[in-house]
Amino acid sequence: MSLNSTTAASETPHLTLVENDPWLAPYEPVLLARQERLQARLAEIKQQYGSLSKFASAHQQLGLNYDARRRGHWYREWAPAAEALSLVGDFNQWDRSATPLQRRADGVWETFLADKDYAGRLTHGSRYKVHVRTSQSGKDRLPATLRRAVQDEETKDFAAQVWRAEPFAWTDQKFRIPNVVREPFIYECHVGMATEEGRLGSYREFAETILPRVQALGYNCVQLMAVMEHPYYGSFGYHVANFFAASSRFGTPEDLKFLINEAHNRGLAVLLDVVHSHAVKNEAEGLADFDGSGGQYFHEGSRGNHPGWDSKLFNYGRPEVQQFLLSNLRYWLEEFHFDGFRFDGVTSMLYQHHGEGVAFGHYDQYFGPDADEDAILYLQLAATLVRELKRSALLIAEDMSGLPGLCRPVAEGGVGFDYRLGMGIPDYWIKLLKHTRDEDWNLRDLWWTLTNRRAGEKTVAYAESHDQALVGDKTLAHWLMDASIYTHMHKDDPDPVVARGMALHKLIRLSTLALGGEAYLNFIGNEFGHPEWVDFPRAGNNWSHHYARRQWSLADNPDLKYQYLQAFDKAMVTTARTQRLLAAAPAQELNIDATNQVMIFERGGLVFVFSFHVDRSVPDYRFFVPTAGRYRIILNSDDAAFGGFQRVDNSYVYETFQEDGVNKLSLYVTNRTVLVLQRLP
């Protein structure tokens, strides 16, 4: 355990987390107990397995694995409550009595398929399942650690598939995360909807057509959704059935490796949107009631069902479940070279109430009886494992509770994530646009929302989430411009609705980036104001792909205004990256002027001047700056290149002057504009 001493007088050791936040002092016993439990579990794992990384190797034993020494395949499955298991597939004409498994004392069933008997039958592309007989019934199930699941086009039935392709030739040996990601600028993507045509996109198409766009825009991370195999495409990838299988909808495992390899060669890190918070309840495709016990991987009874997601909840306290999930992380890091994970649904994991209807207004709620200590232990183990396997990997938590220490190192008393998503920011923007007139925007509220985060814990800021792009809601661009986004986007159209919408779109995104955190995220296509929502093929839309695509041609069309939003996004990200803006300390407020709707602040040596006023422009706007000198504009949202009105001369050099005993600048502050200034050397 890593403890730091505070006062020599008391000689009482305190966790660093508590030293940095004295309000945590009453809860230090809970934090210490969590650390002690973690250390005890690690010691137990080391004694039994030798190391945490060896413990996280279940996938090398379970499922179908080739044994080169014995020349044949081992098939193993953990199903302690089952009465009998047999392997079935096209290799044995789906005969449930032909290939029985033998039960070991640890609840694992196994059989060996020697090449001399099966080499000509169990081949690359063969399909198979495992038949599990329980006290209630017998069912054909998909193996828990299968590497590839494929769906029959006619029956829609999923089966495991033997996959023995030629090893992929990686060329990313020189790629190092710290060399390309000093601060994460994340482009969140869904491979299937990344094509413009009304069909499924592929891993290879994404690598060849989308990665160049991401690179050109200045982002340095790609975050991939919906990679883990899921039976229902419309679940957006969040009802996972097969945790070790890259979705076959988009291509082969080698195609996904090609994508990641290409990203690395373009200087882009790749994060996996990993779903360990729950699993699909389907028995035909997933893990639910696998051995007939009513639990196994999941909690038994009502605790095993998520009340809002219609899915199954893992029993994180069971050693075999810990091993399954930790092995899953190791598999994606090593087999596919992912550079880290965005953990979905962390709030649901942290608390037995899953965050449903809880406001989290007091520290008691983080450390009381509702906390799921087993889940917290698992997350600490996960962070520890990832650090062992790939020290510079990125770990991001989707958490809305604000648990103290979630994004601090385990040694300090934390859970071990690097960043948490600033989930309140996109909610704020949508509520503001829905319910408040432009004239009534409260800049104090805006400032507080964008800057309110735990000191010392990094945040990923984002202006709009992928959930807000789903059918039934709208993107920011759609809220701002509504029907005009279809009819008034020609570059020569002076439509006032579009003019307002584009101006505010730029201000919203840059204020979010500059104030909201230490990393930034954008959902695919939103950078150019994608005009339509996301609606995956389903019965309600006659299984159409029309809204499950991205219309890149709109951004590339020189006659349309979408190009201007894309150009601003590129300039915004490039400015922030080159100036190391997100590595700087939080912003310092310089001026918030409710009368003129002007907000001015400094961060990373840059001065940001935002005017949210509906129509007022001020020709001699004077404000305090902390450092005297000469300043120039390095980014102007009103530039013609960004669809603006070019009302300010970017070549002008501004010099500070003394007024009322302080350094001041005077600018022409135009309405609905942001100017970013840098002091000249």
Side-chain angles (χ1 to χ4, degrees), residues 566-634:
Q566 179 170 271
F568 181 77
D569 195 83
K570 177 179 180 179
M572 175 182 81
V573 169
T574 301
T575 299
R577 281 188 64 179
T578 56
Q579 298 297 324
R580 300 294 308 278
L581 177 66
L582 299 184
Q588 174 188 356
E589 177 189 329
L590 300 181
N591 183 33
I592 292 183
D593 174 0
T595 302
N596 293 297
Q597 288 291 80
V598 170
M599 178 176 71
I600 304 174
F601 58 88
E602 179 274 333
R603 188 178 183 190
L606 302 179
V607 175
F608 293 79
V609 182
F610 282 85
S611 170
F612 289 93
H613 204 281
V614 174
D615 54 23
R616 182 178 300 163
S617 297
V618 185
D620 180 20
Y621 195 92
R622 301 182 176 203
F623 59 93
F624 160 77
V625 289
T627 308
R630 302 163 69 241
Y631 288 78
R632 67 181 180 93
I633 296 171
I634 61 171

